[in-house]
Each structure stands twice: as structure tokens, then as C-alpha cells.
Amino acid sequence: MPDATIQDTPSQDAAYNYGYLDEQTKRMIRRAILKAVAVPGYQVPFGGREMPLPYGWGTGGIQVTAAIIGREDTLKVIDQGADDTTNAVSIRRFFARVAQVATTTHTKEATIIQTRHRVPETPLTDGQILVFQVPIPEPLRMLEPRETETRTLHALSEYGVMQVSLYESIARHGRIAKTYNYPVMVNGRYIMSPSPIPKFDNPKLDRSPALQLYGAGREKRIYAVPPHTPVNSLDFDDHPFEVETWTESCELCGSTESFLDEMIVDDTGKRLFVCSDTDYCESRR
Amino acid sequence: MSTTLLAPGFADPSHDAQRLFRGVLDAFSHPGRIVELPDAPAGPGTLSPAASAFLLTFADRETPLWLEAGVDRQEVRDFLRFHAGTPLVQAREAATFAVIIGGGGEPFAGFAIGTDTYPDRAATLVIEVPALDGGPITTWRGPGVDGEVQVAIDGLGDGFWPAWTANHALFPCGVDLVFASGSRLIALPRSVAVEA
Amino acid sequence: MYVAVKGGETAIAHSLDLVADKRRGDRDVAELSLDQIDQQLGLAVDRVMTEGSCYDRSLAALAIKQARGDLIEAIFLLRAYRTTLPRFGASEPLDTTRMVAERRISSTFKDVPGGQVLGPTYDYTHRLLDFSLAASGERPEAPTAPADATHALPRVGDILQRDGLLEPPPSNDDGEARDLTRDPLVLPASRPLRLQNLARGDEGFLLALGYSTQRGYGNNHPFVGEIRYGHVPVSFVPEELGFAIEIGEIEVTECDMVNQFAGSHDVPPQFTRGYGLAFGHAERKAMAMALVDRALRADELGEAVTSPAQDEEFVLAHSDNVEGSGFVQHLKLPHYVDFQSELVVVRMLRAEVEKRREQAALAQAAE
């Protein structure tokens, strides 16, 4: 098994507080997180700060992680399932620098996992926190651009517009063609965006023993799914929810069960498939 | 001039607050779980260490606090003003946080429960109890609970659990609770149903 | 085997070195000093301070240097620094009648108390490239009349208001000014919050929206009541003193836009206001802001909301160039997991269509 320790340069900047955010800001975010946990799936507005990384590049996830992380934590950061994609490296370096925290690539060793677009293949456990980076927290946004409207729809549990949208997809394609950011119902009350994870990952959100925290920096929203909470992907009786499948297997570890990335390997368009989750893949080789 | 000694706050503000926050987050994520708070400050005596720790972790200038008469004492006020800068309010509806002893009478009446569009604008109440176990057994079900969990908080008033059932029925509105005893606490978010 | 865009650590380190190298450019060319940027690219500094919500010329100059002149990047740098600064409190409202004006014009009256002061403006320059600037050369100092700091400079709007021809400044309903950079924006927003948003908003975005109102998309017949630019004192009340003390001076540009309002059965016709304020000398920004501010008051004034500039949610949600720049450019991040999900479904749907076609062809052949 390869060494999971990542060589970063932990040297705290004296000019910045531990975890980058000031204590007042952390308290504000922590209060928002408690309310988010108390009302699963509801988007809590918070006074999102400008971060030294661009909006859309994980500022919400970074603020959530900065508000919860401590010296006893071990942090894993993934983007597209991989620990070594550039943005994951950049965020991990940021926390190694401002929070002097231990980092890992092993899902099992991490106490906090910040992710963009994937849920690890390795099942999570009690005590772990999964922090999602969320670009558009409002699941109804593409159907209704107005915040004042969508907020009312959530208040009234008036979700017909979403059902209609999924049904239109069936009418046109014969199936629900939505593939990522597939809407879910949390604890039977709020429709929630699971962030742009592939729908392949949706079942992992259901009754997970880990705590899920979702941070949207630009849109200034935090929401949560507590452990053991029902998370159902929306579907119809005659068109049940289904996930992506591949006829291929991973070129490196042979897995037929994980989410596969497709790579074009030469000019003639020859393709091969490898696991998106690099830690899972390496642990099987 | 006051001659009372001010009870100490956090020794290491950033890291103490972080550890305590994670303890409370663990409690909210697992309703019914008894969480022992690491290094909770002793507090000003009339507040339990767990209640003191909770308030120092979450309260500040932006969060008005309501104190029940039994805890509303000079050393408590001095402690919270000095360490947290928290404004103390007389009106329940203005409070973000409140400290209550035992939860008798109508324990939740008057506190902010949020609105249908902003249910997060609801109060969190800290309830001081003699013990988190050994009391009458109740069964809790809801988000954060794997199936169901039995909780036996001691020293609550007779009308407490019926009042909670009414509060839970307001979901997604409603208050959230923290039961504090010594340096331990249990959280009860509004999403959880309790069978007494 | 082909290796995907991974192994980021070294690549990032090299990229950081390269951008620092590019920033310095040819080492044979003298390096820019922050003073040079402040003094000779002062309008860029003004814009960065305004949209960066931080009045500090040297920090803004540093941000411009670090960003190689990319002003949106510089605004981002300044904001990310600003957000870490402790707050001591809020200043007293600026009193711009106390401005020592370098420039002050009104286009609604030929002359106004305090006079029309043209000051430094590009308005009457002929836009001919001045090749004498290509060679460095000293310029003689321009003659200036001493600015009058002794008299208050009354606002043109106040004079109109006295006659009831212009509405009084709209009141701030929620009393205390909230801080957009500390609390999330809640919609519908109050006017103070809208103005904060517009002050931080992208100049180009506001310019386009303001322009659109002049072309019929929410027309409100604007006149420049007044534009003034100059120094104003900033006062602050320290809690331990309990009274205001002057803590410094800042340069601002203020625009009071006067707009037609038809009135109604009960309300006599009256002019209404739009307001713009920017740090430094930034007339285009202040005027565009004033036009959009007025357009966003449509609801309050009982006008139909029919155009983009009148649509509060649309304007406030998209005015910020740091947010917009980040989200547009995040498309550069890898999205191959989502794209893979789409590929799987598109292939499946294509196969299904293909199958139906074949079946239809077979059925046709059989007939």
C-alpha cells in the first residue's frame, strides 16, 4: 500500500488566525451548522466571507471545514474522487498551512473529508464528517430562478414543479435523464441538492453513519444531513431511481463496482476505464 | 465596586472553542448521546460547566441571551458579559440562547421558533438538569438516531414532554434543546420525536 | 500509459513560479513602485478601492501590481485581505456638504450656489493619442485656484427639495445600517443594502444596466442633479469617548440623479432621486449606480417592474464581479465525473433511439 502521508509545508502565517477565519466568523458559521443539523436539508443563510480562493472553487466547503477543523483532525480532500487533482491539492495545502492539520489520502483515517463531486467508495463511519463543496445549493434554482419564490416553495413543501420536470424528462427520453446533482428528499420534508455528485453516489447519502455538511460560499448557504437520516432520490413508481452502470471494469484494480472515469488514450479514440476514487483503487491493487 | 471574582473563561480561546464545538456538534448529530465536554470551564458556579462551555462557544455580541431568574445572578452576568460580550435580554422572543432550570411550567412559551421561510431563526435553549441519566425513560426517534434511543434525563417538569411533542409538531419551526449537567450534555433538535 | 491531469502538487508549484515571473516581466525594464501606481494609475486604484470596499491606496496599488493590472483580480485580492481585518465599529455617515470639492457640476441649473467647478475631467479632452507621453517628460504644474474649505457646499437636491419639487431622501427603514459583508443578503433587500451591493458592484455591469434604462428598458428620465468629487472628513464615535472625532479624510465621488415622476391622483408630480457614491474619482461608476438605484425603486414608487435594471433579485445577485468571475472560471476545474455520468446516459439514450429506428425500418421493409 502506498504511503498515505502527504508532504505539505505546514508553517502557520502569523498574520492569520488559526484556521484562517477569525473567531467571531467561526462562531457565526458554527451556529449556522447547528441549525442546519436541527433542520435536515434546509438551507441556512450564513454571512459567508470572502476567502483567498475564488468563488466557485470550494469557498463554502472551505469555510465549513475552517469552522470545524482542529489540531486533532486528519483531513482528506478530494476532487472528482481523487486526492491529487489540482484543486484538491490546493485546498489541502491551504489547510496544512493555516491549521497545521494532519492530512491523509486514506478514507478510513480521515476525520474530515472535504469533497467536490464524489462520495468515497469506502463506506464512512460514525464520527467522520463529509464536507461537500456546493455551487448552487437550491435544487429548484434551474426551474425557478427567484430566491423569494423557491424559499416559499420550500416553506409550503410545494414541490410539484420538480415532479413535473422529472416527468417531462421521462416523456421525452423514456427515462429520467438527470445524471448528476440528482435531487433528493431528506427525512421526508426538504428537497435538497446533493451537490454535483453523480447519481451513482446518491444511495451512499441515505442513512449514512457519517455527518454530511454542505457549504455554498458564493450563495452563502449551509445545510446538513445528520447521521442515519433517510435520503431518498426522487423517482416514480413506474420509473424507479437507478444508477449508472458500466460494462467495463477498472483497468488498474479490476473493480466492477466503483464509479469509473473514462480516458481517451490515443488519437484513434481508444478508451480505457479507471476508478474515479484513487484511494479505493490503490487499496485494491 | 464588585468584589466577586470573575470565573475564568477559555485558557486557549481558539482551540478550546473548537473542541467544545465538536462536542456539541457530536451531540446535535446524535440526539440522546451523552457527550462529555473536554476541558469545559468551571463557570461562575450557578451555571453548570456544560452550560458555561456551550455559551462561551456559541454566544457573542450578536446573540441576545435570556436567563431564568434562578441563574440570572451578578456573577453569571459578569462572566457572560466579560468572556462573550453577550447582551442579556428580558424578552424571551428576542433571545437567540436561553438558560432554563429544570424546564417546569411552559418551558418553551414565548421563545423564537423561526418562520416557515426561515426556520433557522429559532432559539436554542440550554436546560440545566440534575442528571442526564437515572430519570424516567423516554424513547427518541428521528434524524441522527439509528432507529431509536432510550434517554432518561432526570429532574424535568411534569408538562415537559407534552410541551416537547407540541414543539416537535411545529417542524420545521421550533426550538432546539441542550440538556446540561456537570460537564456533560445531551442535545435534542426539534426534528426528533420523543415518546415519554 | 496515458496519465490524466493529476500529480498536481509539482504542477501548481511551477505555475506559481511562472506567474510570479510573468508579473515581473523583462528584468531590464524598471520595476513599478506602489507610489507610481498610486500617483500615475490613480483611477485604477480608485476602482479597486471602491469595488474592493476598502479605502487604502497603498493596499489597492499593491493588489494592482500583484494582479498585473487585472483590476477584477486586484479587487478580489483586496477583499480577501479586508475580510480578515478586525472591526472597530461603523463611522458616522459622511456629510458631503462638508466636501472640499475639486469638481462639482450640475446639469439641471446654469448656475448653483457654490458655482460650477469643472476640475480635472476627461470630458473635454480630444481622444487623440498624446505621443508626447510615450517619451517621458516633465509636465509643468497646472494652475489651480485654492479650494474653499471654509464654506459648506449645499446640495442642488436640497434646494429643489425645499420647494417640494424633489422628494426628500428616502428614509432608511431599518434604522441601523447592516453590513452586507457580514450578514447574508435577504430578499427583498432594504435600500441601504441595495446601495451597498451597488457600490461593490462591477462598474461594467452597472454601466450596461444604467445604459439600458436610457434606452427604454425601465426609462426614468434622468438628469444629473449634481456630481461632486473631493475630500470629505470621516468621523467616528469611540465608545469610551461618547462623541465623534475626525479620524481622517477620504476622496469620494457623489452623484445625485434627478428623475421624473408622474405623480398620481393623490400625489402631485415630483422629481425623485437616484444616488451613487464611489471612492476616489469615479463618475461613470457613481452615475451608473445612481441610475440603477433609481430603477430599483420601481416597486416603492408604484412603477411596473418590466426591465432587467428594475429587477432587484436579478441585479443584486449578479452585480458582484468577484462572485461572477469565480463561478464562470470554475468551469476550468475538472468536471469529468459529471461529464462521465452524462456520457453514460447520452450513449444509452442514443442506443435506444437507434434501436427504435432499426425496428421501424424492419417493420417498413416487412410491409
Side-chain angles (χ1 to χ4, degrees):
Chain A
M1 188 176 287
D3 183 10
T5 319
I6 294 160
Q7 296 306 314
D8 278 308
T9 46
S11 59
Q12 192 183 1
D13 284 278
Y16 295 103
N17 191 29
Y18 181 83
Y20 181 78
L21 299 173
D22 59 279
E23 292 303 308
Q24 162 68 28
T25 298
K26 287 186 201 167
R27 270 195 301 276
M28 176 271 295
I29 296 176
R30 288 168 182 166
R31 290 194 293 261
I33 290 173
L34 282 200
K35 289 302 173 197
V37 170
V39 189
Y42 163 73
Q43 305 162 49
V44 181
F46 80 111
R49 301 294 192 247
E50 254 126 1
M51 299 301 283
L53 283 82
Y55 284 119
W57 297 55
T59 54
I62 292 168
Q63 286 180 80
V64 168
T65 299
I68 65 176
I69 203 165
R71 290 185 290 213
E72 288 139 37
D73 280 308
T74 303
L75 176 70
K76 172 180 166 82
V77 183
I78 51 172
D79 187 341
Q80 314 294 303
D83 299 87
D84 58 354
T85 36
T86 43
N87 201 46
V89 171
S90 170
I91 292 170
R92 193 169 52 237
R93 276 165 42 114
F94 176 74
F95 280 111
R97 181 169 174 179
V98 301
Q100 300 88 53
V101 72
T103 57
T104 184
T105 59
H106 291 339
T107 300
K108 281 180 184 153
E109 289 169 8
T111 53
I112 299 172
I113 302 171
Q114 181 168 328
T115 178
R116 176 169 174 267
H117 293 192
R118 277 309 313 273
V119 177
E121 306 286 5
T122 310
L124 301 178
T125 53
D126 184 351
Q128 288 185 307
I129 302 177
L130 188 57
V131 178
F132 292 80
Q133 301 173 199
V134 182
I136 306 268
E138 177 51 67
L140 307 172
R141 184 60 72 233
M142 296 306 145
L143 308 171
E144 169 51 64
R146 283 176 197 283
E147 167 71 11
T148 41
E149 286 294 322
T150 52
R151 196 157 272 281
T152 306
L153 296 179
H154 283 296
L156 301 173
S157 286
E158 181 53 65
Y159 292 133
V161 60
M162 180 64 89
Q163 299 292 335
V164 168
S165 143
L166 295 177
Y167 194 78
E168 279 172 358
S169 180
I170 294 172
R172 175 185 293 255
H173 300 295
R175 63 176 71 242
I176 298 173
K178 192 149 181 61
T179 58
Y180 61 91
N181 209 349
Y182 191 104
V184 294
M185 173 65 83
V186 178
N187 199 38
R189 176 58 182 82
Y190 282 102
I191 286 189
M192 183 189 93
S193 159
S195 87
I197 56 172
K199 64 180 178 179
F200 180 89
D201 286 341
N202 276 22
K204 297 177 194 159
L205 307 180
D206 185 32
R207 295 166 213 269
S208 168
L211 170 63
Q212 304 163 40
L213 299 177
Y214 296 78
R218 199 173 35 76
E219 303 279 346
K220 301 182 174 56
R221 298 287 185 273
I222 287 172
Y223 52 101
V225 177
H228 314 295
T229 303
V231 177
N232 299 315
S233 302
L234 301 183
D235 62 0
F236 297 94
D237 289 343
D238 49 346
H239 286 277
F241 174 78
E242 53 187 16
V243 300
E244 300 92 330
T245 52
W246 284 260
T247 48
E248 299 83 359
S249 58
C250 174
E251 189 81 7
L252 301 174
C253 76
S255 174
T256 54
E257 284 158 8
S258 76
F259 189 94
L260 298 178
D261 285 339
E262 177 173 339
M263 299 194 294
I264 303 172
V265 289
D266 63 25
D267 292 350
T268 65
K270 183 170 180 293
R271 289 168 165 77
L272 62 81
F273 292 80
V274 294
C275 290
S276 143
D277 185 333
T278 48
D279 173 55
Y280 168 85
C281 189
E282 279 164 13
S283 71
R284 288 171 41 89
R285 280 184 244 156
Chain B
M1 227 189 120
S2 170
T3 52
T4 47
L5 277 177
L6 190 65
F10 290 150
D12 184 353
S14 180
H15 295 102
D16 285 358
Q18 187 274 335
R19 279 205 301 274
L20 289 165
F21 164 69
R22 286 288 284 279
V24 175
L25 180 61
D26 187 35
F28 267 79
S29 307
H30 301 93
R33 179 180 285 183
I34 296 178
V35 173
E36 176 80 41
L37 295 177
D39 310 321
T46 42
L47 271 186
S48 68
S52 304
F54 180 89
L55 292 174
L56 291 197
T57 304
F58 292 99
D60 56 30
R61 283 171 215 293
E62 296 175 359
T63 59
L65 172 67
W66 184 90
L67 297 176
E68 191 171 308
V71 266
D72 189 6
R73 294 164 57 157
Q74 192 59 42
E75 63 268 31
V76 175
R77 289 169 164 261
D78 289 346
F79 174 79
L80 293 169
R81 280 215 188 95
F82 182 81
H83 293 298
T86 309
L88 297 168
V89 289
Q90 297 296 319
R92 288 181 166 210
E93 63 267 22
T96 306
F97 296 112
V99 181
I100 289 169
I101 304 170
E106 289 185 64
F108 316 133
F111 290 110
I113 58 167
T115 64
D116 288 340
T117 40
Y118 291 98
D120 53 301
R121 296 175 182 171
T124 306
L125 316 181
V126 179
I127 304 186
E128 297 269 29
V129 292
L132 298 176
D133 45 22
I137 291 174
T138 56
T139 305
W140 296 16
R141 295 183 189 87
V145 180
D146 189 4
E148 59 181 51
V149 61
Q150 308 229 302
V151 184
I153 296 166
D154 198 18
L156 294 170
D158 286 344
F160 189 87
W161 292 117
W164 178 257
T165 300
N167 180 69
H168 170 69
L170 299 171
F171 189 88
C173 294
V175 297
D176 304 307
L177 306 185
V178 171
F179 299 97
S181 176
S183 60
R184 306 194 303 168
L185 59 77
I186 290 177
L188 177 57
R190 66 192 89 167
S191 56
V192 170
V194 176
E195 196 183 310
Chain C
M1 197 192 86
Y2 174 86
V3 180
V5 194
K6 291 186 176 180
E9 191 117 10
T10 328
I12 288 180
H14 287 159
S15 171
L16 297 179
D17 290 343
L18 279 174
V19 78
D21 187 75
K22 276 274 182 197
R23 175 186 304 131
R24 178 58 186 88
D26 187 342
R27 305 300 196 274
D28 290 337
V29 177
E31 186 175 355
L32 269 176
S33 73
L34 299 190
D35 285 344
Q36 286 173 328
I37 294 170
D38 176 6
Q39 291 300 307
Q40 296 173 39
L41 298 174
L43 296 181
V45 170
D46 290 345
R47 179 172 176 194
V48 170
M49 292 195 305
T50 298
E51 293 173 34
S53 304
C54 181
Y55 193 95
D56 187 315
R57 300 197 70 83
S58 55
L59 285 178
L62 173 61
I64 291 168
K65 178 174 177 173
Q66 188 176 334
R68 295 170 61 206
D70 178 340
L71 297 190
I72 294 180
E73 181 71 22
I75 290 161
F76 182 14
L77 285 168
L78 188 58
R79 284 202 196 169
Y81 178 75
R82 173 192 186 275
T83 196
T84 66
L85 298 175
R87 300 298 158 99
F88 298 115
S91 76
E92 295 292 287
L94 293 183
D95 179 2
T96 50
T97 62
R98 292 180 64 199
M99 178 185 283
V100 181
E102 278 191 53
R103 172 166 161 79
R104 190 274 192 120
I105 54 161
S106 168
S107 52
T108 47
F109 295 100
K110 183 164 184 180
D111 199 6
V112 284
Q116 305 261 19
V117 181
L118 206 54
T121 173
Y122 279 96
D123 289 352
Y124 307 101
T125 60
H126 295 149
R127 268 64 170 203
L128 303 169
L129 278 176
D130 179 356
F131 291 99
S132 73
L133 290 174
S136 56
E138 288 303 313
R139 299 253 146 184
E141 297 221 351
T144 50
D148 183 0
T150 54
H151 289 94
L153 195 56
R155 280 194 208 87
V156 174
D158 294 348
I159 299 166
L160 277 172
Q161 191 190 322
R162 237 178 280 150
D163 304 332
L165 285 169
L166 179 68
E167 61 165 351
S171 67
N172 173 9
D173 307 335
D174 52 7
E176 203 175 328
R178 298 173 67 84
D179 184 344
L180 196 58
T181 65
R182 310 294 283 182
D183 301 314
L185 180 67
V186 171
L187 296 166
S190 63
R191 185 160 179 259
L193 279 179
R194 282 204 310 253
L195 288 170
Q196 278 182 48
N197 176 290
L198 298 180
R200 287 160 60 81
D202 182 73
E203 181 172 319
F205 178 76
L206 296 184
L207 180 66
L209 282 177
Y211 177 43
S212 74
T213 66
Q214 293 178 284
R215 290 193 67 260
Y217 289 89
N219 192 7
N220 46 40
H221 307 282
F223 299 94
V224 170
E226 181 176 346
I227 291 173
R228 56 173 68 191
Y229 151 66
H231 289 81
V232 277
V234 178
S235 301
F236 180 72
V237 181
E239 211 167 311
E240 60 272 29
L241 288 184
F243 56 85
I245 51 165
E246 232 175 84
I247 54 171
E249 276 193 335
I250 62 172
E251 272 188 329
V252 297
T253 305
E254 183 184 49
C255 174
D256 237 330
M257 202 66 87
V258 174
N259 306 268
Q260 215 176 65
F261 178 57
S264 63
H265 199 269
D266 309 314
V267 184
Q270 194 181 34
F271 292 101
T272 54
R273 294 168 185 260
Y275 184 76
L277 186 80
F279 287 151
H281 195 182
E283 291 176 24
R284 191 192 301 118
K285 168 70 186 262
M287 291 174 76
M289 175 175 167
L291 289 174
V292 177
D293 169 45
R294 175 58 185 80
L296 289 176
R297 295 180 58 210
D299 239 2
E300 169 199 343
L301 296 169
E303 297 165 342
V305 175
T306 55
S307 304
Q310 298 170 309
D311 184 332
E312 179 181 270
E313 283 216 37
F314 178 79
V315 173
L316 300 191
H318 302 112
S319 62
D320 195 296
N321 55 28
V322 176
E323 289 175 5
S325 168
F327 200 49
V328 165
Q329 297 203 62
H330 107 283
L331 294 173
K332 290 182 281 190
L333 288 176
H335 282 81
Y336 45 77
V337 165
D338 295 345
F339 189 68
Q340 182 64 37
S341 296
E342 294 276 277
L343 269 181
V344 169
V345 165
V346 170
R347 280 190 184 127
M348 192 156 61
L349 293 176
R350 285 174 66 88
E352 284 169 4
V353 171
E354 200 55 42
K355 204 164 137 195
R356 281 199 293 277
R357 273 201 198 139
E358 279 168 19
Q359 282 167 347
L362 281 176
Q364 212 168 25
E367 277 172 16

